[in-house]
Amino acid sequence: MKAIETRFLNKTYGSTPVVDGINLIVKEGEIFGFLGRNGAGKSTFINMLTGITLPTSGSFSLLGVDGPSERIKKHIGVMPDYSTLFNSMSAMKHLKFLSSLSGRSVSVAECQHVLKLVGLEEAGKKKVSKFSFGMKKKLGIAQAIIHDPSLIFLDEPTSGLDAESALHIHKLIVSLQQQGKTVFMTSHNLDEVEKICSNIAIMKDGGIIKSGTMDELRSYYRSAITVQLKHDPIPAGEAQKLYAWLETAGTELQKTPAFTTITVGSELKIAEIIRAFTNCHVNIFRVEVNEPSLEEMFLAE
Amino acid sequence: MIAIGKREFISMFKSIKSIIIIAILLITSYYSAKYSEILATAIALTEKEMANIHTVGLLFVLMFFGQLFVMGLSHDSINKESHERTMRFLVTRTSRLRILFGKFAGAWFFWFASILVSFLLISIFSLKFDFFIFSQVIALSTFQISLAILMSVVVPKPSITMFLGILIGLLAPILGAWIALTDNTWISWLKFASPYYYLVEDNYLFLIIFCLAGLMLAAAATIFNRREF
């Protein structure tokens, strides 16, 4: 089943399209990463899906229900960007109030459980006005999951968090997926998207320029798998033949007596290269494969 | 809607402004009722006015300062949430209509409770509870709250609604009374939009005030549904 489906979703301010006819499908149970530079339109896209802003044209459905729909709201959890929390409330009251708005009254124990999940177990009675930025961020995530939604939107969930807290949130997001929930998140932290997202879309100038699994995206930008081999010196009689073949197998060939580095377009080529060295009776001691990081792909765009 | 209404109701009781306003209502009700006999001897009144002499003080305060009080407490009821972006949490969880009517209901029950206590206080001296006047006052408050909610939806900045609220609060009773009583044909048609006209009529026409309030809430809901946060 599709958790999110958008059809030519469009948002225009004046004559400027901020989101330009996006068609996107997110399957249930996956962690979907939405990438893009500042101003690419990521937040506007999420805001339209969650009812914060209204689409100019196009349509969408969430969990199979055409939106914008009031009845779907109790099944979604949202951590909007740039939001301020209710400063006069404690974390516990916050969760109880927002959960009741979603039509689910939660017990103190449930609130404590969710606060513990985000690492705020000691701050339940503390007023939000006394929270640090990181604590507010964690409470933002807590309020998005307190009512046990099936679909969770997280806009930059770990920005501003220290490394330990970010790792904690990553684990939480993965555990939510393991419970069968769908997580749709935007991030500037490309490493985290690469680590935890099963599918990714890259947004630029209001449109999606590429989407797919990490492997699909890598194969799209496939010319960048770098292989470095540490080996015995190549016998003089074999070197010319081997290097001639390597020139055809890949690009950016670098050779020293003990190391050979080459950039190939497919993982299959790695096996062929190793076989070619073995056929020339050259012992290989180490093979290092460097795939393009998401950041490198992202910057390439 | 209940959660939003409850939060609005409780938060209104917590502010210093509301405590001062409640104090003004109760003190006025108490002393005007207590010394109503003196007032009755000082001015010439009809038999009907004499019968309601205990409520005169409270009615004076509500007629002339009611709109100012309501604006003072509810001018930023909606736009404060938008301005501070907490509205984003609300609109992603419940319908905009529920938010709007929750806010309205919270304010309405605050005024209902405050006015009810004032009337109960008066009834100690008058030994009766005048449901007709009470209903008229509630109708006026409903109109005033709806106007405050509409303003808070239309104007996005709380600082501007605070200024406009004071201005409207001061001008509304003066203009309202003038429109209701004037013979100027160019102006007098506006009386049908003024709650004071229906109150001056002193009959069940005051129920139309609830309709006017409903129209303002409908306009507020239409605009609010198109708002972006």
Side-chain angles (χ1 to χ4, degrees):
Chain A
M1 190 178 162
K2 295 164 190 166
I4 303 171
E5 183 176 14
T6 68
R7 297 166 288 267
F8 302 102
L9 200 62
N10 193 67
K11 180 69 186 178
T12 305
Y13 289 111
S15 58
T16 312
V18 180
V19 172
D20 197 4
I22 286 186
N23 293 299
L24 180 73
I25 290 174
V26 176
K27 289 178 199 151
E28 261 191 334
E30 67 181 18
I31 303 174
F32 195 96
F34 213 48
L35 286 168
R37 292 192 171 92
N38 285 334
K42 306 184 300 291
S43 295
T44 307
F45 183 72
I46 282 194
N47 289 347
M48 281 193 283
L49 298 182
T50 55
I52 293 171
T53 55
L54 307 169
T56 308
S57 62
S59 61
F60 67 90
S61 58
L62 302 177
L63 303 168
V65 178
D66 284 341
S69 162
E70 300 307 335
R71 75 186 165 99
I72 202 67
K73 285 186 176 176
K74 65 176 72 170
H75 301 293
I76 66 168
V78 186
M79 191 192 90
D81 68 332
Y82 302 120
S83 295
T84 50
L85 298 149
F86 299 99
N87 283 326
S88 59
M89 289 187 190
S90 67
M92 190 73 79
K93 272 193 176 173
H94 219 101
L95 296 184
K96 285 183 87 69
F97 171 62
L98 290 175
S99 184
S100 66
L101 285 185
S102 294
R104 186 168 182 268
S105 105
V106 288
S107 65
V108 172
E110 283 174 288
C111 292
Q112 281 289 7
H113 173 67
V114 170
L115 288 172
K116 192 176 176 187
L117 284 179
V118 296
L120 284 178
E121 59 268 40
E122 303 296 327
K125 290 180 179 170
K126 198 172 176 180
K127 279 205 172 182
V128 172
S129 56
K130 292 179 180 163
F131 274 27
S132 66
F133 177 81
M135 290 168 84
K136 285 183 178 175
K137 203 88 187 176
K138 289 176 184 174
L139 184 58
I141 296 170
Q143 63 78 32
I145 61 173
I146 183 66
H147 55 297
D148 195 26
S150 309
L151 172 58
I152 302 156
F153 292 91
L154 303 174
D155 204 349
E156 306 277 352
T158 57
S159 69
L161 293 184
D162 57 79
E164 191 185 347
S165 299
L167 192 64
H168 188 77
I169 298 302
H170 291 165
K171 284 179 184 169
L172 172 64
I173 293 170
V174 171
S175 78
L176 290 170
Q177 184 204 23
Q178 285 164 353
Q179 291 165 36
K181 299 177 191 308
T182 311
V183 180
F184 185 94
M185 59 180 280
T186 68
S187 180
H188 280 119
N189 187 340
L190 305 174
D191 276 346
E192 83 176 354
V193 171
E194 193 166 10
K195 277 176 199 159
I196 65 175
C197 293
S198 39
N199 274 285
I200 294 159
I202 299 175
M203 197 171 182
K204 188 181 181 187
D205 298 332
I208 290 177
I209 50 171
K210 190 66 191 166
S211 68
T213 62
M214 266 311 297
D215 288 339
E216 283 170 346
L217 279 178
R218 282 204 187 95
S219 64
Y220 179 73
Y221 300 91
R222 61 191 314 160
S223 62
I225 302 175
T226 305
V227 186
Q228 188 184 57
L229 299 105
K230 185 181 179 189
H231 49 74
D232 272 341
I234 301 168
E238 302 283 356
Q240 194 179 357
K241 192 177 82 178
L242 182 60
Y243 286 137
W245 181 82
L246 286 172
E247 294 280 2
T248 62
T251 57
E252 297 175 38
L253 180 66
Q254 294 169 32
K255 48 205 178 191
T256 62
F259 290 95
T260 300
T261 306
I262 185 168
T263 302
V264 294
S266 160
E267 284 177 340
L268 294 173
K269 282 286 178 196
I270 301 169
E272 287 180 32
I273 290 167
I274 293 169
R275 208 175 300 125
F277 274 80
T278 312
N279 290 342
C280 294
H281 308 290
V282 179
N283 292 320
I284 295 172
F285 305 117
R286 195 167 66 204
V287 179
E288 281 183 19
V289 178
N290 292 312
E291 288 187 273
S293 71
L294 196 56
E295 188 153 8
E296 285 164 338
M297 294 181 200
F298 186 56
L299 291 172
E301 282 300 329
Chain B
M1 190 174 103
I2 293 169
I4 292 174
K6 190 175 157 190
R7 176 171 159 257
E8 186 75 8
F9 180 75
I10 293 169
S11 70
M12 284 184 82
F13 274 108
K14 282 181 179 172
S15 76
I16 295 291
K17 279 189 288 186
S18 65
I19 292 167
I20 293 169
I21 289 169
I22 291 169
I24 291 171
L25 291 181
L26 295 182
I27 291 167
T28 307
S29 301
Y30 178 80
Y31 284 104
S32 68
K34 189 176 182 181
Y35 298 113
S36 57
E37 303 300 329
I38 301 168
L39 187 67
T41 56
I43 51 175
L45 295 168
T46 63
E47 196 176 326
K48 193 177 177 186
E49 285 166 340
M50 273 299 291
N52 299 324
I53 191 70
H54 295 88
T55 57
V56 163
L58 179 64
L59 291 181
F60 175 82
V61 170
L62 288 175
M63 291 283 273
F64 287 93
F65 299 104
Q67 187 69 69
L68 188 65
F69 291 166
V70 170
M71 286 293 188
L73 294 183
S74 298
H75 73 89
D76 59 355
S77 170
I78 299 285
N79 59 14
K80 189 182 174 194
E81 303 270 15
S82 312
H83 193 67
E84 293 178 354
R85 291 183 180 263
T86 48
M87 186 62 85
R88 290 183 165 209
F89 286 119
L90 306 183
V91 295
T92 56
R93 287 178 180 271
T94 189
S95 77
R96 294 176 181 218
L97 275 184
R98 284 188 180 146
I99 295 168
L100 190 83
F101 289 114
K103 290 276 183 184
F104 171 79
W108 190 87
F109 277 109
F110 168 83
W111 284 103
F112 182 86
S114 302
I115 293 167
L116 181 66
V117 171
S118 301
F119 268 75
L120 289 173
L121 195 62
I122 290 167
S123 69
I124 295 170
F125 297 98
S126 65
L127 302 175
K128 65 172 184 176
F129 189 98
D130 196 322
F131 281 101
F132 183 78
I133 295 177
F134 178 73
S135 305
Q136 281 185 313
V137 172
I138 292 299
L140 179 65
S141 293
T142 307
F143 179 92
Q144 291 165 336
I145 296 162
S146 302
L147 183 60
I149 296 278
L150 176 62
M151 187 183 73
S152 189
V153 168
V154 171
V155 183
K157 282 192 176 175
S159 55
I160 295 176
T161 50
M162 189 170 77
F163 169 73
L164 284 176
I166 293 168
L167 202 66
I168 293 170
L170 292 172
L171 290 178
I174 300 165
L175 290 176
W178 176 54
I179 289 166
L181 300 169
T182 185
D183 291 330
N184 186 328
T185 47
W186 294 99
I187 302 292
S188 67
W189 63 273
L190 282 171
K191 68 187 176 191
F192 298 111
S194 165
Y196 298 97
Y197 169 72
Y198 303 104
L199 293 175
V200 170
E201 289 292 306
D202 209 20
N203 54 28
Y204 281 96
L205 274 179
F206 80 85
L207 293 173
I208 291 173
I209 297 171
F210 287 109
C211 300
L212 293 176
L215 285 174
M216 283 193 289
L217 281 180
T222 307
I223 297 164
F224 190 54
N225 269 331
R226 294 175 187 174
R227 274 268 181 273
E228 304 206 332
F229 308 102

